[in-house]
Amino acid sequence: MDINTTRTQFPVLDQQVYGKPLVYLDNAATTQKPLCVIERERDYYLHENCNIHRGVHYLSQKATEAYEHARQTVADFIHAKEAREIIFTRGTTESLNLLATSFEHYCIEEGDKVLVTAMEHHSNLVPWQQMVQRHQGQLLVVPMNDKGVLELEQYEKLLKEGPKVVSIAHISNVLGTINPVKEMIAMAHRYEIPVVVDGAQSIAHHPINVQKLDCDFFVFSGHKMYAPMGIGGLYGKAEWLEKLPPYQFGGEMVDKVSFEKTTFNVLPYKFEAGTPNVGAALGLETAMQFLQGLDREEVERNEAQLLTSAIEKLSEIEGIRFIGEAEQRSGLVSFIIEGVHPYDLGTIIDKMGVAVRTGHHCAEPVMTRFGIPGTVRASFAMYNTMEEVEVFVNAVKKAAMMFR
Ligand code: PLP
């Protein structure tokens, strides 16, 4: 894979900030978009734009076909059994809110529990927390050790408390830890508990096979995998999606409506009320086809090399502390430097052209766990280079020197 050729597909990377070439290492927040994705969405608005599922006319049928084709592509990409198991949403956050609300109406009773882990993004914590609290219930939390690895014996104990749902991150957006989700799913299933996997940080970097994982639900955002913002997905096993009640109500999700009674549409439409973001769904399809066209093992290897090199080079900095040192990790490195506030560090290296994220990364409990205000996080994507890692580490070294 020639990274320089790949980079030509991402025009936004080719720019200067503050007179320095942009080094974009904030990919865990959002990835940049390749030309084919941008053009697909533009093309839709130039030639195909129409509301779907409703019209008998040519354009409406064309747009409907394209949208349903995109659904099939998503199903194939994550190896779902059927396209009707894919619900288009705005992204991970909406998918998780959908699940929390649907589970609440389906089966949550007074005092019920939901199990999450200590490393969840707020999106996979607050919806469940608010939901159980409405029923005087409780959030159970799988603890992690100092390296940012989940404690599975504790997980097993918590499963015995009978949570109604388990919802876990595939990869932590702060620590980079790859959680052993396959094993965790099998453990939960022994207690007949359904499992939601938050794949926001995994889907761009690793092939996903929901049938092999045997997860009951898998959620993700398009914008973190080279697709447009405002589109994402929820995979659910058909048997679960059939049972769960709809999340939002309105057009398209209904079967028959009278003032007395409403019956609902079949899957997947039952969960897609209102006009969806068709253009973005087509962009998502194109992003998936773009990824499928690459040697994904090679992409994974390149990203792993960037990470190893960044960690090695950063380790030379006096007073550095890595947050998240799991053996199984991917995509990003989080750290703090003694005597330097992460925000200051991020601001200084920004002036050197380097874009990283600083703060709590929407995971405040992780910060509390490690007793820190925030971290600096560099996260990698397919278009990052070893030279960029070098520029980044040198920028961090220079910034750290200013505080010595
Ligand atoms: N879950 C994880 C692990 C994330 O990293 C993120 C975003 O950073 C989210 C959920 C929320 O994703 P979105 O804002 O795209 O809905």
Side-chain angles (χ1 to χ4, degrees):
M1 193 178 96
D2 176 18
I3 292 197
N4 286 327
T5 311
T6 304
R7 286 178 73 86
T8 61
Q9 301 301 305
F10 294 87
V12 74
L13 297 173
D14 184 21
Q15 62 174 296
Q16 304 223 324
V17 293
Y18 307 109
K20 303 277 174 2
L22 169 67
V23 173
Y24 185 76
L25 298 178
D26 195 16
N27 295 290
T30 198
T31 53
Q32 299 302 346
K33 322 303 174 202
L35 278 170
C36 57
V37 167
I38 297 166
E39 278 161 11
R40 182 65 189 100
E41 206 172 2
R42 181 171 176 269
D43 213 51
Y44 167 74
Y45 285 110
L46 281 177
H47 304 294
E48 295 161 275
N49 176 48
C50 204
N51 212 328
I52 54 164
H53 294 141
R54 288 161 210 196
V56 289
H57 59 79
Y58 175 79
L59 262 193
S60 176
Q61 290 187 6
K62 201 167 166 212
T64 303
E65 267 170 36
Y67 185 71
E68 291 307 325
H69 193 275
R71 194 190 306 280
Q72 184 63 55
T73 302
V74 175
D76 295 341
F77 190 79
I78 62 170
H79 300 275
K81 219 185 277 176
E82 307 172 69
R84 68 190 182 115
E85 295 180 313
I86 305 297
I87 314 297
F88 283 117
T89 64
R90 284 194 295 124
T92 309
T93 302
E94 188 175 42
S95 300
L96 290 164
N97 276 280
L98 184 161
L99 286 173
T101 307
S102 288
F103 266 102
E104 176 172 20
H105 295 304
Y106 175 62
C107 65
I108 298 297
E109 291 167 357
E110 187 156 335
D112 273 348
K113 296 163 185 168
V114 168
L115 178 55
V116 297
T117 81
M119 60 176 81
E120 298 309 326
H121 187 281
H122 294 162
S123 291
N124 195 27
L125 187 170
V126 184
W128 300 114
Q129 175 199 60
Q130 296 299 302
M131 185 266 263
V132 288
Q133 284 180 358
R134 281 194 288 273
H135 302 272
Q136 294 71 48
Q138 190 192 344
L139 208 54
L140 302 175
V141 183
V142 187
M144 61 179 155
N145 67 19
D146 291 343
K147 287 194 179 307
V149 176
L150 293 176
E151 297 179 13
L152 292 192
E153 317 80 63
Q154 296 301 320
Y155 174 56
E156 178 91 46
K157 275 191 198 153
L158 293 169
L159 286 173
K160 288 183 182 147
E161 292 195 31
K164 285 283 172 74
V165 186
V166 167
S167 195
I168 47 180
H170 197 174
I171 296 180
S172 156
N173 66 310
V174 181
L175 312 163
T177 309
I178 305 175
N179 288 319
V181 286
K182 192 164 195 274
E183 188 184 342
M184 293 175 80
I185 291 161
M187 286 166 77
H189 284 173
R190 267 178 241 136
Y191 297 86
E192 295 182 5
I193 305 165
V195 182
V196 180
V197 175
D198 173 355
Q201 293 297 339
S202 62
I203 193 162
H205 305 284
H206 306 283
I208 302 294
N209 187 323
V210 289
Q211 290 189 69
K212 280 197 184 148
L213 285 177
D214 197 27
C215 53
D216 300 281
F217 304 93
F218 185 93
V219 298
F220 67 94
S221 299
H223 71 95
K224 293 187 196 286
M225 55 166 304
Y226 313 104
M229 291 189 172
I231 190 76
L234 158 64
Y235 155 81
K237 283 182 182 165
E239 68 205 69
W240 267 113
L241 293 178
E242 294 281 11
K243 285 190 282 201
L244 292 178
Y247 163 59
Q248 289 183 331
F249 302 89
E252 200 53 39
M253 53 76 65
V254 291
D255 172 31
K256 287 216 168 335
V257 181
S258 70
F259 285 113
E260 290 73 35
K261 189 176 173 204
T262 297
T263 54
F264 303 123
N265 206 339
V266 294
L267 289 179
Y269 314 110
K270 179 173 98 174
F271 289 104
E272 291 183 3
T275 302
N277 193 342
V278 181
L282 304 184
L284 174 63
E285 172 177 44
T286 304
M288 289 181 165
Q289 290 163 339
F290 175 74
L291 274 167
Q292 275 163 335
L294 302 171
D295 179 343
R296 293 204 69 191
E297 279 183 14
E298 199 182 345
V299 172
E300 254 185 69
R301 253 196 322 275
N302 285 344
E303 289 178 4
Q305 279 167 4
L306 296 173
L307 180 62
T308 308
S309 168
I311 293 169
E312 245 173 56
K313 292 186 163 79
L314 287 168
S315 304
E316 294 163 7
I317 299 172
E318 202 189 313
I320 195 159
R321 177 180 164 203
F322 292 106
I323 306 298
E325 295 177 284
E327 248 166 62
Q328 298 299 318
R329 57 192 294 196
S330 164
L332 61 92
V333 55
S334 262
F335 61 91
I336 50 171
I337 296 177
E338 205 186 326
V340 190
H341 195 282
Y343 180 79
D344 292 337
L345 202 130
T347 308
I348 294 168
I349 70 173
D350 173 48
K351 299 290 182 294
M352 303 180 203
V354 181
V356 292
R357 180 124 316 218
T358 61
H360 58 54
H361 317 294
C362 296
E364 275 192 67
V366 179
M367 303 303 127
T368 309
R369 163 69 180 76
F370 287 96
I372 52 176
T375 77
V376 177
R377 180 188 73 187
S379 51
F380 306 101
M382 66 162 79
Y383 38 66
N384 291 124
T385 65
M386 282 295 182
E387 293 76 47
E388 287 183 313
V389 169
E390 200 119 314
V391 173
F392 155 62
V393 176
N394 286 338
V396 174
K397 283 181 179 167
K398 266 192 215 159
M401 287 298 286
M402 293 179 190
F403 293 84
R404 298 282 176 254

